[in-house]
Amino acid sequence: ELCGSNPLQSPNALAYFEQLKISPDAWQVCAEALMLNPQPEKTFIRNKAAQVFALLFATEYLTKWPKFFFDILSVVDLNPRGVDLYLRILMAIDSELVDRDVVHTSEEARRNTLIKDTMREQCIPNLVESWYQILQNYQYTNSEVTCQCLEVVGAYVSWIDLSLIANDRFINMLLGHMSIEVLREEACDCLFEVVNKGMDPVDKMKLVESLCQVLQSAGFFSIDQEEDVDFLARFSKLVNGMGQSLIVSWSKLIKNGDIKNAQEALQAIETKVALMLQLLIHEDDDISSNIIGFCYDYLHILKQLTVLSDQQKANVEAIMLAVMKKLTYDEEYNFENEGEDEAMFVEYRKQLKLLLDRLAQVSPELLLASVRRVFSSTLQNWQTTRFMEVEVAIRLLYMLAEALPVSHGAHFSGDVSKASALQDMMRTLVTSGVSSYQHTSVTLEFFETIVRYEKFFTVEPQHIPCVLMAFLDHRGLRHSSAKVRSRTAYLFSRFVKSLNKQMNPFIEDILNRIQDLLELSPPENGHQSLLSSDDQLFIYETAGVLIVNSEYPAERKQALMRNLLTPLMEKFKILLEKLMLAQDEERQTSLADCLNHAVGFARCSSREQSPKDWISLCLLHDQEFQLIIYKEAVFLIIALYVLGFFCKMGVIFLIQVCNNKRSCLHAGSNCSV
């Protein structure tokens, strides 16, 4: 009765429990309450009880309670509720002894090792026999208990004698569970743990082959007929484990010089490739993702072989085509509001990229030829092709840069055939008109690829004007998507800096076209700027790079810099006056923030300039420009003035100004100002 009381409702119950905690007979009361309740306890109660038993076991097993498991087994008597508690205790013990996520002291680690050694000597065979009996008794009548027992077997198999599980009696039962719908997922996981167990390479090869023969004869290799994707995800994991185990065996046999058995292992691996490909190409990404490890390791084997057979070459090409297909976005992908599903696909794409890189190591010529074929056929008809196919075609070209690495991005020199293929694809990219495709993923991939292969434009500079226009018009900095505009601002800055020597003919046109993007947008005008303040930093930096690195005479550079900074200074003065008159704290904060942006913009416009550049500009006999530089320098004094009125905003503002002005003040320390 007290056990069911709420201490908040019954003060006596709370006092009772406090007394119970210090009573030497408390464990008996609790045990009786746990065992004699006619209704099953809630799951969290059973889990907590199992944890208590596990801690008690870890403390007492080696000294006071060596018959722990035999006592537990005698009490539970293999009835469903007793078995449930028994299995939960076993999982809690495994977690306490084996789980690497649980931090143990060195003393606890030594204790755990001794406990496992003692269990292996004294009781593990008895436990295994109890598992077999549970599986046999409940496989058709209680799926929950059976699945729990399969989980226990899978957990313990990693540190007990494998022969106790990997025998005809046990394996046949597990394979039988593969045909029972409510059990087959857990049976898959249990078999995976068996396969994953370290053992002699020849024995492992025989075990895996025997499992595969039974599974294949039972029809499990016919993937097309299976509609249960949850089961296929578990099955894919099992196949991955079998494949990787065979590869480990092959590696060990090669290292040991056992060529005969190594050849048998390789043949066993090759017979699994068709199944691997079926799972890799499956439309469900979880199923595909679970087989990537086997695929990656198989390619690693092929990389080490001197000569590939025709079948192995065909396998490489099939993997390549599968990767290209699986890189493609789904129709449901939400580009404007990416959530958990989208994040998972991005991670999956990273796995596929690793496969593509490994494919390049096995056969770079084949990869280049395959990408070129897909890219060319897609770009020829991009106007009538679905966005995901256009995006992935450009993405493949982008990924080649890392799959076929070169020093300092020199993709268009050296190997003539490779350079020619990449140059041809880049020429197609910039002349096909695909930059006008009406989907953000295609647009972003276009600009990303342009910047990645920026050295193409030193080889064929005639394409620079059309690419610049793409950056500057509705396809880039004026795109309808804020995400595209933001990313383009950064990529445009990189593009200009990397090709600054080729920019001279276009500088004034660029500066004129970006003028409206440089406007400081005060908070009160209600106008939504195309670019955020962070994006504008990149544009100011780009403008400064264009001016300073131009081939113009000093006087022309001075005029351009004046045109760049004068509107900013004038806007700063107006906003500062408004700040000093503002009464509302929120408005004060927003105005101070806008002033901070102005300082940042001025700094970014000079980020690429050396002190020598600034001094040479300052020494020019142009009083108006010197005044601009002077105004920027006195930002620090203004900040101190503002600090006296608005302490919190002033401190933030002062820190920002100090950071932004340090390089400028240092650079101008010798100028006439």
Side-chain angles (χ1 to χ4, degrees):
E1 183 178 350
L2 281 171
C3 290
S5 299
N6 185 336
L8 296 178
Q9 297 175 349
S10 176
N12 293 332
L14 182 59
Y16 172 80
F17 285 128
E18 289 297 324
Q19 182 181 0
L20 190 65
K21 282 163 43 176
I22 61 175
S23 170
D25 299 327
W27 68 273
Q28 291 179 318
V29 176
C30 294
E32 289 175 2
L34 183 66
M35 299 302 295
L36 302 174
N37 193 340
Q39 298 299 323
E41 298 288 353
K42 293 182 178 179
T43 301
F44 76 91
I45 294 291
R46 286 180 276 169
N47 286 338
K48 185 58 67 175
Q51 291 173 15
V52 171
F53 274 111
L55 292 173
L56 182 63
F57 165 81
T59 304
E60 305 291 341
Y61 177 65
L62 294 174
T63 56
K64 299 179 181 179
W65 201 352
K67 295 185 178 181
F68 176 90
F69 290 107
F70 298 101
D71 291 344
I72 294 290
L73 282 171
S74 67
V75 172
V76 300
D77 195 30
L78 297 188
N79 66 76
R81 289 185 59 198
V83 167
D84 175 87
L85 181 58
Y86 167 60
L87 295 174
R88 290 178 192 275
I89 291 171
L90 286 172
M91 287 304 298
I93 288 174
D94 178 78
S95 178
E96 177 66 25
L97 300 182
V98 181
D99 192 344
R100 294 182 180 179
D101 293 333
V102 177
V103 179
H104 292 291
T105 64
S106 57
E107 182 179 349
E108 288 174 335
R110 286 193 298 270
R111 178 206 65 185
N112 292 346
T113 300
L114 183 57
I115 289 176
K116 287 187 290 184
D117 290 340
T118 306
M119 287 178 64
R120 280 188 281 254
E121 293 175 4
Q122 296 182 354
C123 64
I124 286 297
N126 301 85
L127 297 184
V128 172
E129 180 61 29
S130 73
W131 303 338
Y132 181 82
Q133 296 300 326
I134 291 169
L135 292 174
Q136 188 176 52
N137 292 342
Y138 291 104
Q139 58 185 331
Y140 302 115
T141 60
N142 194 321
S143 59
E144 182 179 354
V145 165
T146 306
C147 287
Q148 278 182 268
C149 192
L150 289 170
E151 185 181 3
V152 168
V153 175
Y156 276 72
V157 78
S158 66
W159 58 275
I160 66 174
D161 182 1
L162 184 62
S163 64
L164 295 171
I165 305 296
N167 52 58
D168 290 343
R169 185 177 74 147
F170 230 108
I171 293 299
N172 287 337
M173 178 176 287
L174 293 177
L175 290 170
H177 293 163
M178 290 284 289
S179 300
I180 302 175
E181 188 170 354
V182 292
L183 303 180
R184 58 182 185 167
E185 290 183 21
E186 286 295 341
C188 252
D189 288 347
C190 187
L191 285 171
F192 170 80
E193 296 298 337
V194 172
V195 167
N196 210 37
K197 170 82 170 181
M199 58 189 298
D200 174 81
V202 175
D203 291 340
K204 174 62 72 70
M205 180 172 61
K206 291 178 180 178
L207 172 64
V208 170
E209 283 300 271
S210 64
L211 285 176
C212 285
Q213 289 173 8
V214 175
L215 291 171
Q216 187 169 15
S217 62
F220 285 101
F221 285 15
S222 301
I223 302 301
D224 294 339
Q225 300 176 14
E226 181 56 61
E227 298 180 355
D228 185 347
V229 293
D230 291 332
F231 168 69
L232 272 183
R234 306 286 186 99
F235 182 69
S236 182
K237 179 183 174 183
L238 173 59
V239 175
N240 188 74
M242 293 191 293
Q244 288 187 309
S245 294
L246 289 173
I247 291 172
V248 170
S249 294
W250 176 85
S251 299
K252 289 180 178 179
L253 293 167
I254 286 292
K255 185 177 180 180
N256 295 336
D258 189 346
I259 304 302
K260 179 179 179 297
N261 281 316
Q263 188 60 35
E264 288 186 20
L266 182 57
Q267 290 175 355
I269 294 166
E270 298 279 6
T271 60
K272 314 296 182 296
V273 171
L275 177 60
M276 176 191 73
L277 285 168
Q278 290 184 68
L279 294 167
L280 181 65
I281 204 67
H282 197 280
E283 63 181 11
D284 186 277
D285 292 341
D286 289 337
I287 296 169
S288 175
S289 177
N290 284 342
I291 203 69
I292 285 178
F294 177 21
C295 191
Y296 186 84
D297 291 346
Y298 172 65
L299 291 173
H300 184 61
I301 287 182
L302 299 186
K303 177 188 172 185
Q304 300 175 64
L305 300 181
T306 306
V307 179
L308 298 184
S309 66
D310 290 341
Q311 183 59 56
Q312 288 168 337
K313 291 178 181 177
N315 291 341
V316 171
E317 190 162 12
I319 293 171
M320 199 172 297
L321 293 174
V323 170
M324 292 178 182
K325 183 177 185 298
K326 291 301 295 180
L327 280 167
T328 307
Y329 284 112
D330 292 332
E331 289 276 7
E332 295 79 17
Y333 192 98
N334 190 334
F335 290 90
E336 294 303 318
N337 186 22
E338 294 175 317
E340 184 178 352
D341 290 342
E342 287 75 18
M344 291 173 62
F345 181 73
V346 170
E347 289 302 313
Y348 171 62
R349 259 192 162 193
K350 291 178 182 178
Q351 292 180 289
L352 293 175
K353 178 193 175 299
L354 294 177
L355 273 185
L356 200 75
D357 292 344
R358 181 52 59 89
L359 283 163
Q361 296 170 7
V362 176
S363 181
E365 299 81 9
L366 181 59
L367 176 62
L368 184 61
S370 299
V371 171
R372 187 177 188 181
R373 183 172 61 252
V374 171
F375 179 86
S376 300
S377 62
T378 303
L379 268 289
Q380 284 177 2
N381 304 292
W382 65 264
Q383 296 93 334
T384 56
T385 304
R386 297 185 305 167
F387 84 86
M388 65 281 292
E389 295 173 20
V390 178
E391 189 277 341
V392 84
I394 304 174
R395 181 71 178 176
L396 287 167
L397 172 57
Y398 176 88
M399 294 170 78
L400 280 180
E402 290 184 0
L404 306 173
V406 294
S407 177
H408 303 294
H411 295 285
F412 305 98
S413 59
D415 186 330
V416 176
S417 60
K418 174 194 168 187
S420 175
L422 288 173
Q423 195 168 330
D424 180 64
M425 285 188 278
M426 280 300 295
R427 189 184 306 115
T428 300
L429 181 67
V430 298
T431 60
S432 64
V434 73
S435 60
S436 298
Y437 198 101
Q438 295 297 305
H439 197 280
T440 57
S441 68
V442 176
T443 303
L444 286 171
E445 206 60 63
F446 171 83
F447 286 118
E448 296 281 0
T449 307
I450 288 295
V451 173
R452 168 153 283 191
Y453 292 104
E454 38 86 12
K455 284 188 168 51
F456 165 76
F457 298 96
T458 63
V459 179
E460 298 190 20
Q462 66 270 26
H463 300 297
I464 291 178
C466 67
V467 171
L468 285 175
M469 284 305 302
F471 271 113
L472 294 168
D473 63 18
H474 65 280
R475 292 167 289 180
L477 293 172
R478 289 173 172 78
H479 197 277
S480 58
S481 167
K483 180 179 179 180
V484 173
R485 295 196 300 269
S486 179
R487 185 62 181 170
T488 304
Y490 165 72
L491 293 172
F492 181 55
S493 175
R494 281 186 54 189
F495 185 75
V496 168
K497 284 195 283 187
S498 63
L499 295 171
N500 65 82
K501 293 182 180 179
Q502 285 80 25
M503 290 292 110
N504 208 65
F506 317 107
I507 289 176
E508 294 198 40
D509 188 28
I510 294 174
L511 292 175
N512 288 332
R513 290 179 183 274
I514 65 174
Q515 190 63 45
D516 62 314
L517 300 176
L518 299 173
E519 293 180 1
L520 186 64
S521 181
E524 72 274 7
N525 65 4
H527 173 67
Q528 185 65 40
S529 177
L530 280 175
L531 299 179
S532 70
S533 299
D534 290 339
D535 300 333
Q536 284 182 299
L537 291 173
F538 290 116
I539 304 302
Y540 268 96
E541 183 179 10
T542 303
V545 168
L546 287 169
I547 295 171
V548 173
N549 293 331
S550 70
E551 298 174 0
Y552 293 149
E555 291 81 1
R556 185 60 186 150
K557 289 185 180 182
Q558 168 211 3
L560 292 174
M561 189 62 76
R562 182 178 63 243
N563 291 339
L564 175 67
L565 293 178
T566 298
L568 185 64
M569 302 304 172
E570 292 175 348
K571 182 70 71 172
F572 180 89
K573 180 180 178 181
I574 294 172
L575 292 175
L576 181 61
E577 292 173 353
K578 291 182 178 181
L579 175 60
M580 291 188 292
L581 295 174
Q583 301 297 320
D584 179 68
E585 183 175 352
E586 182 177 348
R587 176 168 167 76
Q588 292 169 0
T589 302
S590 62
L591 286 167
D593 187 54
C594 196
L595 290 169
N596 283 339
H597 292 320
V599 178
F601 296 160
R603 177 175 180 262
C604 277
S605 68
S606 61
R607 180 174 291 167
E608 297 297 315
Q609 302 173 35
S610 66
K612 181 180 178 182
D613 294 324
W614 271 101
I615 293 170
S616 63
L617 288 173
C618 289
L619 291 176
L620 291 170
H621 300 294
D622 187 308
Q623 297 300 318
E624 185 176 356
F625 185 72
Q626 290 184 6
L627 180 60
I628 293 174
I629 302 302
Y630 172 75
K631 285 180 178 178
E632 190 189 356
V634 298
F635 278 0
L636 181 58
I637 300 172
I638 295 171
L640 289 170
Y641 179 75
V642 174
L643 181 62
F645 290 92
F646 315 107
C647 185
K648 183 171 72 172
M649 286 78 70
V651 170
I652 298 172
F653 187 35
L654 175 59
I655 292 172
Q656 177 72 29
V657 170
C658 288
N659 288 336
N660 287 332
K661 291 313 306 153
R662 188 175 294 113
S663 59
C664 174
L665 292 174
H666 175 70
S669 60
N670 296 322
C671 73
S672 59
V673 176

Coordinates of all heavy atoms in Angstrom, one line a residue, residues 576-615:
L576 N 24.6 58.6 -36.7 CA 25.1 59.0 -35.4 C 24.3 60.1 -34.8 O 24.0 60.1 -33.6 CB 26.6 59.4 -35.6 CG 27.3 59.8 -34.3 CD1 27.4 58.7 -33.3 CD2 28.7 60.4 -34.6
E577 N 23.9 61.1 -35.6 CA 23.0 62.2 -35.0 C 21.7 61.6 -34.5 O 21.2 62.0 -33.5 CB 22.8 63.2 -36.1 CG 24.1 64.0 -36.5 CD 23.8 64.9 -37.7 OE1 22.7 64.8 -38.3 OE2 24.8 65.7 -38.0
K578 N 21.2 60.6 -35.2 CA 19.9 60.0 -34.8 C 20.1 59.2 -33.5 O 19.2 59.2 -32.7 CB 19.4 59.1 -35.9 CG 18.9 59.9 -37.1 CD 18.3 58.9 -38.2 CE 17.7 59.7 -39.4 NZ 17.1 58.7 -40.4
L579 N 21.2 58.6 -33.4 CA 21.5 57.8 -32.2 C 21.6 58.7 -31.0 O 21.0 58.3 -29.9 CB 22.9 57.1 -32.4 CG 23.4 56.3 -31.2 CD1 22.4 55.2 -30.8 CD2 24.7 55.7 -31.5
M580 N 22.2 59.9 -31.1 CA 22.3 60.8 -29.9 C 21.0 61.4 -29.5 O 20.8 61.8 -28.4 CB 23.3 61.9 -30.2 CG 24.8 61.3 -30.3 SD 26.0 62.6 -30.5 CE 25.7 63.2 -32.1
L581 N 20.0 61.4 -30.5 CA 18.7 61.9 -30.2 C 17.7 60.9 -29.7 O 16.6 61.2 -29.2 CB 18.2 62.7 -31.4 CG 18.9 63.9 -31.8 CD1 18.4 64.5 -33.1 CD2 18.9 65.0 -30.7
A582 N 18.0 59.6 -30.0 CA 17.1 58.5 -29.7 C 16.8 58.3 -28.3 O 17.8 58.5 -27.4 CB 17.6 57.2 -30.4
Q583 N 15.6 58.0 -27.9 CA 15.2 57.8 -26.5 C 14.9 56.4 -26.2 O 15.2 55.9 -25.1 CB 14.0 58.7 -26.1 CG 14.2 60.2 -26.3 CD 15.3 60.7 -25.4 OE1 15.3 60.4 -24.2 NE2 16.1 61.7 -25.9
D584 N 14.3 55.7 -27.2 CA 13.9 54.3 -27.0 C 15.2 53.4 -27.0 O 16.0 53.5 -27.9 CB 13.0 53.9 -28.1 CG 12.5 52.4 -27.9 OD1 11.9 52.1 -27.0 OD2 12.9 51.6 -28.8
E585 N 15.3 52.5 -26.0 CA 16.5 51.7 -25.9 C 16.6 50.7 -27.1 O 17.7 50.5 -27.7 CB 16.5 50.8 -24.7 CG 17.7 50.0 -24.5 CD 17.8 49.3 -23.1 OE1 16.9 49.6 -22.3 OE2 18.7 48.5 -22.9
E586 N 15.5 50.2 -27.6 CA 15.5 49.3 -28.7 C 16.0 50.0 -30.0 O 16.8 49.5 -30.8 CB 14.1 48.7 -29.0 CG 14.1 47.7 -30.1 CD 12.7 47.0 -30.3 OE1 11.9 47.2 -29.4 OE2 12.5 46.4 -31.3
R587 N 15.6 51.2 -30.2 CA 16.0 52.0 -31.3 C 17.5 52.4 -31.2 O 18.2 52.3 -32.2 CB 15.2 53.3 -31.4 CG 15.6 54.2 -32.6 CD 14.5 55.3 -32.8 NE 15.1 56.4 -33.6 CZ 15.2 56.3 -34.9 NH1 14.9 55.2 -35.5 NH2 15.7 57.3 -35.6
Q588 N 17.9 52.7 -30.0 CA 19.3 53.0 -29.8 C 20.2 51.8 -30.1 O 21.2 51.9 -30.8 CB 19.6 53.3 -28.3 CG 18.9 54.6 -27.8 CD 19.0 54.8 -26.3 OE1 19.5 53.9 -25.6 NE2 18.4 55.9 -25.8
T589 N 19.8 50.6 -29.7 CA 20.5 49.4 -30.0 C 20.6 49.2 -31.5 O 21.7 48.8 -32.0 CB 19.9 48.2 -29.3 OG1 19.8 48.4 -27.9 CG2 20.7 46.9 -29.6
S590 N 19.5 49.3 -32.2 CA 19.5 49.0 -33.7 C 20.3 50.1 -34.4 O 21.0 49.7 -35.4 CB 18.0 49.0 -34.2 OG 17.4 50.3 -34.0
L591 N 20.3 51.3 -34.0 CA 21.1 52.3 -34.6 C 22.6 52.1 -34.4 O 23.5 52.2 -35.3 CB 20.7 53.7 -34.1 CG 19.4 54.3 -34.7 CD1 19.0 55.5 -33.9 CD2 19.5 54.6 -36.2
A592 N 22.9 51.7 -33.1 CA 24.3 51.4 -32.8 C 24.8 50.2 -33.6 O 26.0 50.2 -34.1 CB 24.5 51.2 -31.3
D593 N 24.0 49.3 -33.8 CA 24.3 48.1 -34.5 C 24.6 48.5 -36.0 O 25.5 48.0 -36.6 CB 23.2 47.1 -34.5 CG 23.6 45.8 -35.1 OD1 24.6 45.2 -34.7 OD2 22.8 45.3 -36.0
C594 N 23.8 49.4 -36.5 CA 23.9 49.8 -37.9 C 25.3 50.6 -38.1 O 26.0 50.4 -39.1 CB 22.8 50.7 -38.3 SG 22.6 50.9 -40.1
L595 N 25.6 51.4 -37.1 CA 26.9 52.1 -37.1 C 28.1 51.1 -37.0 O 29.1 51.3 -37.7 CB 26.9 53.1 -35.9 CG 26.0 54.3 -36.0 CD1 26.0 55.0 -34.7 CD2 26.5 55.2 -37.1
N596 N 27.9 50.1 -36.2 CA 28.9 49.1 -36.2 C 29.2 48.4 -37.6 O 30.3 48.2 -38.0 CB 28.6 48.0 -35.2 CG 28.8 48.4 -33.8 OD1 29.6 49.3 -33.5 ND2 28.1 47.7 -32.8
H597 N 28.0 48.2 -38.3 CA 28.2 47.6 -39.6 C 28.9 48.6 -40.5 O 29.8 48.1 -41.3 CB 26.8 47.4 -40.2 CG 26.0 46.3 -39.5 ND1 26.6 45.1 -39.1 CD2 24.7 46.1 -39.2 CE1 25.7 44.3 -38.5 NE2 24.6 44.9 -38.6
A598 N 28.7 49.9 -40.4 CA 29.4 50.8 -41.2 C 30.9 50.8 -41.0 O 31.7 50.8 -41.9 CB 28.9 52.3 -40.9
V599 N 31.3 50.6 -39.7 CA 32.7 50.5 -39.4 C 33.3 49.2 -40.0 O 34.4 49.2 -40.6 CB 33.0 50.5 -37.9 CG1 34.4 50.3 -37.6 CG2 32.4 51.7 -37.3
G600 N 32.5 48.1 -39.9 CA 32.9 46.9 -40.5 C 33.1 47.0 -42.0 O 34.0 46.4 -42.6
F601 N 32.1 47.7 -42.7 CA 32.2 47.8 -44.1 C 33.5 48.6 -44.5 O 34.2 48.2 -45.5 CB 31.0 48.6 -44.7 CG 29.7 47.8 -44.4 CD1 28.5 48.5 -44.5 CD2 29.7 46.5 -44.2 CE1 27.3 47.8 -44.3 CE2 28.5 45.8 -44.0 CZ 27.3 46.5 -44.0
A602 N 33.8 49.6 -43.8 CA 35.0 50.4 -44.1 C 36.2 49.6 -43.9 O 37.1 49.7 -44.7 CB 35.0 51.7 -43.2
R603 N 36.2 48.8 -42.9 CA 37.4 47.9 -42.7 C 37.5 46.9 -43.8 O 38.6 46.6 -44.3 CB 37.3 47.2 -41.3 CG 38.4 46.3 -41.0 CD 38.3 45.7 -39.6 NE 39.4 44.8 -39.3 CZ 39.3 43.5 -39.4 NH1 38.2 42.9 -39.8 NH2 40.3 42.7 -39.1
C604 N 36.4 46.3 -44.2 CA 36.5 45.2 -45.2 C 36.9 45.8 -46.5 O 37.6 45.1 -47.3 CB 35.1 44.6 -45.4 SG 34.8 43.3 -44.1
S605 N 36.6 47.0 -46.8 CA 37.0 47.6 -48.1 C 38.5 47.8 -48.1 O 39.1 47.9 -49.2 CB 36.4 49.0 -48.3 OG 36.9 49.9 -47.3
S606 N 39.2 47.7 -46.9 CA 40.7 47.9 -46.9 C 41.4 46.6 -46.4 O 42.6 46.7 -46.1 CB 41.0 49.1 -46.0 OG 40.6 48.8 -44.6
R607 N 40.6 45.5 -46.3 CA 41.2 44.3 -45.7 C 42.4 43.8 -46.5 O 43.3 43.3 -45.9 CB 40.1 43.2 -45.6 CG 40.6 41.9 -45.0 CD 39.5 41.0 -44.7 NE 38.6 41.4 -43.7 CZ 37.4 40.9 -43.5 NH1 36.9 40.0 -44.3 NH2 36.6 41.4 -42.5
E608 N 42.3 43.9 -47.8 CA 43.4 43.3 -48.6 C 44.5 44.3 -48.9 O 45.4 44.1 -49.6 CB 42.8 42.9 -50.0 CG 41.8 41.7 -49.8 CD 42.4 40.5 -49.2 OE1 43.5 40.1 -49.7 OE2 41.8 39.9 -48.3
Q609 N 44.4 45.5 -48.3 CA 45.4 46.5 -48.6 C 46.5 46.5 -47.5 O 46.2 46.5 -46.3 CB 44.7 47.9 -48.6 CG 43.6 48.0 -49.6 CD 42.8 49.3 -49.5 OE1 43.4 50.3 -49.2 NE2 41.5 49.2 -49.8
S610 N 47.7 46.6 -48.0 CA 48.8 46.7 -47.1 C 49.0 48.1 -46.5 O 48.4 49.1 -47.1 CB 50.1 46.3 -47.8 OG 50.4 47.3 -48.8
P611 N 49.7 48.3 -45.4 CA 50.0 49.7 -44.9 C 50.6 50.6 -46.0 O 50.2 51.8 -46.1 CB 51.0 49.4 -43.8 CG 50.6 48.1 -43.3 CD 50.3 47.3 -44.5
K612 N 51.4 50.0 -46.9 CA 52.0 50.8 -47.9 C 50.9 51.4 -48.9 O 51.0 52.5 -49.3 CB 53.0 49.9 -48.7 CG 53.7 50.7 -49.9 CD 54.7 49.7 -50.6 CE 55.3 50.5 -51.7 NZ 56.2 49.6 -52.5
D613 N 49.9 50.5 -49.2 CA 48.8 51.0 -50.1 C 48.1 52.2 -49.4 O 47.8 53.2 -50.1 CB 47.8 49.8 -50.3 CG 48.4 48.7 -51.1 OD1 49.2 48.9 -52.0 OD2 48.1 47.5 -50.8
W614 N 47.8 52.0 -48.1 CA 47.1 53.1 -47.5 C 47.9 54.4 -47.4 O 47.4 55.5 -47.6 CB 46.6 52.7 -46.1 CG 45.3 52.0 -46.1 CD1 45.1 50.7 -46.0 CD2 44.0 52.6 -46.2 NE1 43.7 50.4 -46.1 CE2 43.1 51.6 -46.2 CE3 43.6 54.0 -46.3 CZ2 41.7 51.9 -46.2 CZ3 42.3 54.2 -46.4 CH2 41.3 53.2 -46.3
I615 N 49.2 54.3 -47.1 CA 50.0 55.5 -47.0 C 50.1 56.2 -48.3 O 50.0 57.4 -48.4 CB 51.4 55.1 -46.5 CG1 51.3 54.6 -45.0 CG2 52.4 56.2 -46.5 CD1 52.6 53.9 -44.5

